[in-house]
Amino acid sequence: MQELWRLTTVPHVDRETVTAMQANNASSWLEIDLAGIRRNVRRIRELIGPSCQIIAMVKANAYGHGAAPTSHTAIAAGASRLSVATLEEALELKAAGVEAPIMIMGPGGAELADEAVANGFEVVISNREVADALSRQSQRHGRAAGVHVKVDTGMGRLGAAVEDAAELVERVEEMPGLRLVGICSHLATSEQDDQSFAREQLAAFERFCVQLAARGLADGALRHIANSGAILTLPEAHLDAVRPGALMYGLSPGGIAVDDDVVPALTWKARICHVRRAAKDSSVGYGRRHVFERDTRVAALPFGYADGYLTTLSGRADVLVHGQRAPIVGAISMDTTMIDVGHIPEARPGDEVVVIGSQGDEQITAEELADRAGAIVHEVLARLGQRLKRYYLNEHAEEQEPCAAAAAARTS
Ligand SMILES: *Cc1c(COP(=O)(O)O)cnc(C)c1O
């Protein structure tokens, strides 16, 4: 059951910001609506209830949305922790003044122990080598190292084997300088309709936690396993904390239907830089991959695969121009993408084009692009390049934001 979800218009767009952006003359840029992120975090809170923590997944530059603004916004909206993949990502957040606990998930090993401990980051570990390194650094720096022990319940990637994990937890509790913060695992299939494997993983995780308790271990540690798919479809997996990525950005994980209280936070726009006539039987771009069947007009757009527009979208995707769809023609190149605008005679250089987002009554979702590219929605976002300028809308919460207002109405 694949349902592309609707874009709900979020009001209160900060006009000053938009004007500043237009004055800036960017040619291809992202608009990130922080009110959308706030709304999505609040929706996650409604789904998980008041006592479960939200660990905001802000790895890969917050799925392209910009790590620091996204993190500050997620925390203000109710997330209590942040998680990244690498030490560098954690350092970026610290430099941006983020004060919430930051967890480095890896993959990464003992080499990050020194700086992780020195900076007070928590580390997810799967083996004793990393535990030992953290303990050594902790003594050297005179500072406790927060640790989450990961157990592999079926993802088969990181995590200690279930048979060895209790021993690893015991070691963490006994070693000088280490502080056990959490016990976690990761689901391989939470986005699929068939929940049987996810349920098996959850059962294995719960058995493991019971076994720890029986040995008097991990008392008070946070148990967390749920990603966006499980937040939506497997409430039993919410446990002490959840780790939303996709859902926080308003993306539908694996095509799972999400309700109107979840909105995409990101819009990708560009301006047409050149328009030319193209004669029947002439071609466009590298490899002459598209030959026109009729006389038409083509427009050049100032972005390409270096900005994260996947080359597999060549000949398969559209952008929006004057509220209409215009197809991509020819090979997508590093900096330039071409569209056929024969049916949009008013298209001119300088006109605004929407790559992801809505214009008039039309909409192109990140999910649509993923589908056409043969990719997953996470990839479409994570590849958004550094060259794209990011502009933030609605940095400050309005008193009556839609989701807050709805929640207030329900509780009063
Ligand atoms: C990326 C990631 C998540 C978030 O996944 P989404 O599907 O985007 O919600 C959660 N847990 C781990 C370990 C991850 O790597």
Side-chain angles (χ1 to χ4, degrees):
M1 183 189 55
Q2 300 262 324
E3 185 187 301
L4 289 180
W5 53 296
R6 281 157 290 152
L7 180 92
T8 311
T9 312
V10 179
H12 314 303
V13 169
D14 172 355
R15 281 292 142 204
E16 259 168 55
T17 315
V18 176
T19 314
M21 174 172 61
Q22 281 156 353
N24 208 312
N25 262 336
S27 58
S28 179
W29 69 96
L30 305 177
E31 292 175 13
I32 291 105
D33 185 0
L34 296 175
I37 303 227
R38 282 196 293 277
R39 179 167 170 166
N40 299 337
V41 171
R42 292 199 184 110
R43 180 64 190 135
I44 292 166
R45 167 62 63 212
E46 288 179 344
L47 289 168
I48 64 176
S51 56
C52 179
Q53 291 195 38
I54 298 173
I55 306 174
M57 303 305 285
V58 293
K59 58 192 176 182
N61 198 25
Y63 292 38
H65 292 65
T70 301
S71 297
H72 286 300
T73 303
I75 295 292
S80 52
R81 303 173 152 268
L82 299 163
S83 178
V84 293
T86 68
L87 175 68
E88 289 67 27
E89 289 175 344
L91 288 168
E92 183 190 340
L93 292 184
K94 191 175 179 195
V98 165
E99 283 170 5
I102 300 169
M103 170 176 98
I104 302 174
M105 272 179 341
E111 72 288 346
L112 55 73
D114 180 3
E115 285 208 66
V117 174
N119 286 283
F121 301 142
E122 296 173 358
V123 181
V124 177
I125 68 166
S126 301
N127 56 54
R128 51 187 283 183
E129 285 75 6
V130 183
D132 293 351
L134 287 167
S135 173
R136 274 195 305 277
Q137 293 300 338
S138 157
Q139 289 162 276
R140 198 164 81 83
H141 290 285
R143 178 168 194 174
V147 166
H148 298 248
V149 170
K150 187 168 198 168
V151 53
D152 180 23
T153 54
M155 176 63 117
R157 212 172 53 167
L158 302 171
V162 177
E163 314 82 73
D164 308 329
E167 216 170 297
L168 182 58
V169 171
E170 188 163 34
R171 195 176 176 88
V172 166
E173 292 203 335
E174 283 171 357
M175 283 181 99
L178 299 188
R179 183 171 56 89
L180 183 71
V181 180
I183 303 290
C184 59
S185 190
H186 195 31
L187 298 169
T189 61
S190 72
E191 300 171 0
Q192 296 175 5
D193 284 344
D194 180 353
Q195 294 189 326
S196 49
F197 193 71
R199 288 183 186 281
E200 271 175 42
Q201 282 197 266
L202 177 60
F205 186 61
E206 286 179 328
R207 277 196 304 276
F208 174 64
C209 292
V210 167
Q211 189 194 328
L212 290 179
R215 291 173 60 169
L217 296 171
D219 187 31
L222 289 174
R223 297 162 306 145
H224 51 99
I225 191 170
N227 55 2
S228 294
I231 291 171
L232 286 168
T233 64
L234 205 60
E236 307 91 298
H238 295 168
L239 305 178
D240 301 323
V242 295
R243 301 190 305 260
L247 200 53
M248 182 170 70
Y249 305 103
L251 305 170
S252 144
I256 298 173
V258 296
D259 57 45
D260 285 350
D261 284 336
V262 176
V263 292
L266 179 141
T267 299
W268 181 356
K269 292 181 177 173
R271 259 180 241 294
I272 292 179
C273 45
H274 182 60
V275 179
R276 68 172 180 84
R277 276 190 295 278
K280 180 172 184 293
D281 297 329
S282 70
S283 65
V284 56
Y286 286 117
R288 307 193 65 212
R289 284 180 51 186
H290 187 86
V291 175
F292 296 101
E293 288 171 0
R294 55 178 170 85
D295 291 345
T296 187
R297 291 166 77 240
V298 290
L301 303 178
F303 61 84
Y305 60 77
D307 303 293
Y309 202 71
L310 305 180
T311 52
T312 46
L313 290 169
S314 160
R316 311 188 68 159
D318 301 324
V319 298
L320 304 179
V321 186
H322 290 276
Q324 296 179 63
R325 285 178 174 258
I328 309 291
V329 287
I332 287 152
S333 44
M334 191 182 288
D335 317 306
T336 314
T337 294
M338 304 299 292
I339 53 175
D340 189 329
V341 289
H343 58 303
I344 312 174
E346 63 272 39
R348 295 271 177 286
D351 288 355
E352 193 172 292
V353 167
V354 169
V355 185
I356 296 175
S358 46
Q359 194 184 58
D361 297 331
E362 276 287 356
Q363 182 188 11
I364 291 173
T365 60
E367 286 82 352
E368 175 183 326
L369 285 192
D371 199 40
R372 303 234 181 153
I376 60 169
V377 70
H378 295 69
E379 181 178 355
V380 170
L381 277 293
R383 284 185 184 271
L384 291 171
Q386 288 304 327
R387 283 203 307 213
L388 297 168
K389 288 188 186 170
R390 285 150 171 87
Y391 296 95
Y392 293 92
L393 308 182
N394 298 313
E395 188 182 340
H396 301 291
E398 297 280 335
E399 250 172 53
Q400 283 294 312
E401 280 187 347
C403 202
R410 270 194 288 279
T411 51
S412 65

